Amino acid sequence: MKKILITGGAGFIGSNLCENLLSEDNYIYCLDDFTSGSKSNIQEFLNNKNFEFIKHNVINPIDIMVDEIYHLACPASPVYYQKDPIKTLKTSIWGINNMLELALKYNAKILYTSTSEVYGDPLVHPQKESYWGNVNPIGIRSCYDEGKRAAETLLTDYRRAYNINAKTVRIFNTFGPKMAQNDGRVISNFITQALDNKDITVYGDGSQTRSICYVDDTISGLRTLMASDFKGPVNIGNNKELTINEIAELIIKLTNSKSKIIHLQLPSDDPKKRRPDLRTAKENLNWEPKTDLIEALNTTIQYFSSNKCIEL
Ligand code: NAD
Ligand code: UDP
């Protein structure tokens, strides 16, 4: 039985990953400090004999004997990572340092969840892994973007120095069940607003784009990378690009909502375009997203309209 550590395991992607890995013969250590995750996301696993929760802040070192580490701990929503930017940056930099030391000590494989934000407000479109990005080092998103970039650097240097089995995935906007209702991201905001027939808050003129990926596809990407010899960095996401206005209209339609779209101020440094180039994933992992967008949105809407939906 493999011993697997999932940091950030009580968050959106982490709790879906716990569920996925528990369906096979694995022992899961789920580590989290509830910065932007919730106990309700992991409640259903707490009685599973192959699941152990550890309340811990990854800024501090930890010693557990493990075979694999999925290192996800870090708030992902701009609203949450900007609440305490100093902690966000320390979480990325000291967190990866502590996890790399753990991987080194136990010769464990480690997979780090980086982000499309390493490309910043990209000047190259779609974004391929060889693009170095266009990131403001001192803006309101920098605590997240630069933290993720520095973590990629440290991971790569540990691999060069110690030849550890360390991998980087750059996740593009992912959505699905177990996102917190009030975490401020576009899909959770729009679905919650539409279900309540409240105004849909589009920031700016809504012409900025994102490419949204269903969580099951993202998880299959993470697992395929972990199981392969490939080290990345590799983009994982969906390459169907939509404007924020199109996403708003789609969600209004799928929820039969009476909501109206209103426009609020665009936050600074908000990337204007985002779409992954997925050729590296296809060529090296034979991975591509499979879930139909409408089906994925309907499943997520159903989750948000159920009483299982969590608030932070
Ligand atoms: P999330 O905020 O739902 O989950 C992150 C989890 O990490 C939370 O449970 C939080 O409490 C925990 N955490 C934060 N700081 C911590 C700390 N110092 N110590 C211990 N635990 C801590 O976010 P998510 O969407 O599940 O994202 C998971 C990972 O994937 C993050 O690293 C994020 O940067 C990356 N990612 C996500 C997306 C996306 O669209 N969801 C896109 C790109 C990258
Ligand atoms: N956005 C929006 N209204 C909202 C939340 C987000 O228009 O209520 C926009 C945001 O300005 C950005 C896009 O949706 O252009 C995606 O935002 P999110 O916070 O989900 O993730 P990001 O990709 O910016 O990290």
Side-chain angles (χ1 to χ4, degrees):
M1 179 181 276
K2 239 186 268 172
K3 290 189 158 103
I4 304 178
L5 171 63
I6 304 176
T7 75
F12 158 49
I13 298 179
S15 56
N16 279 285
L17 182 60
C18 287
E19 182 173 359
N20 182 290
L21 287 165
L22 280 169
S23 68
E24 292 165 23
D25 195 25
N26 296 307
Y27 189 90
I28 304 300
Y29 294 100
C30 168
L31 184 154
D32 209 293
D33 74 347
F34 299 134
T35 298
S36 55
S38 160
K39 197 170 175 189
S40 4
N41 275 342
I42 51 168
Q43 193 68 44
E44 62 194 292
F45 316 131
L46 293 175
N47 289 329
N48 188 320
K49 64 178 178 10
N50 294 332
F51 183 84
E52 194 172 327
F53 177 69
I54 304 167
K55 189 159 190 294
H56 181 81
N57 181 341
V58 291
I59 289 176
N60 303 312
I62 190 159
D63 190 349
I64 335 169
M65 210 279 284
V66 288
D67 304 302
E68 287 181 0
I69 303 167
Y70 287 88
H71 179 37
L72 280 68
C74 184
S77 154
V79 173
Y80 272 81
Y81 69 64
Q82 287 165 23
K83 271 192 174 167
D84 186 348
I86 296 172
K87 183 177 175 192
T88 299
L89 189 60
K90 287 180 178 172
T91 292
S92 286
I93 297 176
W94 293 345
I96 189 71
N97 179 64
N98 291 327
M99 289 306 134
L100 288 166
E101 283 294 319
L102 193 63
L104 187 58
K105 179 166 181 184
Y106 293 111
N107 195 24
K109 279 197 219 177
I110 177 167
L111 180 150
Y112 176 59
T113 55
S114 184
T115 167
S116 51
E117 283 284 318
V118 299
Y119 305 121
D121 189 5
L123 305 175
V124 167
H125 194 71
Q127 293 77 56
K128 49 185 172 196
E129 292 84 352
S130 55
Y131 177 49
W132 292 350
N134 177 38
V135 175
N136 176 356
I138 53 167
I140 55 169
R141 297 175 85 101
S142 313
C143 59
Y144 183 73
D145 301 11
E146 295 291 18
K148 291 283 181 178
R149 287 167 67 95
E152 286 200 18
T153 307
L154 196 66
L155 178 143
T156 310
D157 280 327
Y158 261 69
R159 195 169 60 225
R160 287 192 196 108
Y162 305 114
N163 199 25
I164 61 170
N165 195 342
K167 300 146 183 283
T168 300
V169 57
R170 293 179 181 156
I171 300 175
F172 281 63
N173 297 66
T174 293
F175 71 98
K178 293 196 170 176
M179 290 183 97
Q181 197 171 20
N182 57 338
D183 86 350
R185 289 185 261 196
V186 66
I187 300 295
S188 40
N189 273 7
F190 286 3
I191 293 179
T192 307
Q193 292 160 348
L195 288 173
D196 292 344
N197 293 309
K198 291 195 172 140
D199 290 342
I200 304 279
T201 55
V202 168
Y203 303 156
D205 66 5
S207 63
Q208 70 272 33
T209 67
R210 293 297 185 269
S211 307
I212 54 173
C213 184
Y214 190 55
V215 65
D216 286 1
D217 287 330
T218 299
I219 282 174
S220 86
L222 304 190
R223 292 210 52 193
T224 309
L225 176 62
M226 185 64 108
S228 79
D229 293 330
F230 191 58
K231 304 289 189 289
V234 56
N235 293 337
I236 290 291
N238 195 304
N239 53 9
K240 183 172 167 46
E241 186 178 359
L242 296 166
T243 66
I244 298 304
N245 283 327
E246 285 169 332
I247 295 175
E249 280 155 16
L250 191 53
I251 290 176
I252 289 173
K253 188 170 151 208
L254 294 177
T255 50
N256 282 320
S257 175
K258 296 189 180 64
S259 295
K260 300 270 170 294
I261 292 174
I262 58 162
H263 292 269
L264 302 180
Q265 196 182 354
L266 187 70
S268 62
D269 296 336
D270 197 292
K272 286 183 267 312
K273 277 174 162 211
R274 183 178 293 155
R275 171 156 62 98
D277 183 322
L278 295 177
R279 278 176 295 182
T280 303
K282 179 70 184 153
E283 283 161 20
N284 294 278
L285 304 174
N286 195 24
W287 177 91
E288 56 192 349
K290 293 200 162 46
T291 314
D292 174 70
L293 173 67
I294 303 298
E295 206 179 295
L297 281 171
N298 278 331
T299 309
T300 311
I301 290 166
Q302 233 167 32
Y303 170 79
F304 274 85
S305 49
S306 75
N307 53 14
K308 286 188 288 185
C309 189
I310 64 148
E311 279 195 42
L312 294 174

